[in-house]
Amino acid sequence: QVQLVESGGGLVQPGGSLSLSCAASGSIFSIDIMRWYRQAPGNQRELVASITSIGSANYADSVKGRFTISRDNAKNAVYLQMNSLKPEDTAVYYCNADVVRDATPSWLRRKSAYWGQGTQVTVSS
């Protein structure tokens, strides 16, 4: 089994900063792309940022220049540094990863998408 666990959400004032973390654990051979999504009440889940295993990052237009995604491959972890937060950034943030589960023999290895449980980020004065 593979689990993704997020941490770091909370309440912050507009203009403030928060840092989210997500760690994957379990029977992992490798992790391809890691992503952060968010979902505000009444809205669809949207992709915030993604990062490949070699560190190539992409961002939604709404967060470019304010958010930074990074990862630590040795720790199977991905991070999201959020600066200059706005009330419209309020949402539940979810970690997502394309994980190749370890298996023996190696031809049994398969890539699947896994999700964390989500962490609430609230930006309000």
Side-chain angles (χ1 to χ4, degrees):
Q1 274 288 25
V2 173
Q3 287 187 320
L4 271 61
V5 178
E6 299 110 334
S7 60
L11 173 64
V12 65
Q13 292 187 340
S17 298
L18 273 179
S19 182
L20 304 183
S21 300
C22 171
S25 62
S27 184
I28 297 170
F29 176 74
S30 65
I31 302 178
D32 192 359
I33 300 174
M34 303 186 83
R35 308 172 185 86
W36 287 99
Y37 284 80
R38 67 185 180 187
Q39 187 168 21
N43 289 358
Q44 289 187 331
R45 192 171 295 189
E46 64 170 344
L47 178 62
V48 175
S50 63
I51 186 167
T52 68
S53 58
I54 59 172
S56 178
N58 282 287
Y59 300 90
D61 288 343
S62 58
V63 306
K64 277 181 183 176
R66 300 188 298 120
F67 290 11
T68 301
I69 189 171
S70 60
R71 64 189 283 173
D72 185 333
N73 291 332
K75 296 181 178 179
N76 289 329
V78 63
Y79 310 97
L80 188 67
Q81 177 65 40
M82 304 182 293
N83 299 328
S84 302
L85 282 161
K86 305 175 181 179
E88 51 264 43
D89 294 318
T90 296
V92 178
Y93 284 70
Y94 297 90
C95 173
N96 165 271
D98 295 337
V99 179
V100 177
R101 290 185 60 184
D102 202 2
T104 303
S106 61
W107 56 266
L108 288 175
R109 294 171 182 155
R110 294 290 184 269
K111 184 190 293 186
S112 300
Y114 292 87
W115 291 88
Q117 81 286 357
T119 185
Q120 177 70 46
V121 172
T122 302
V123 184
S124 174
S125 55

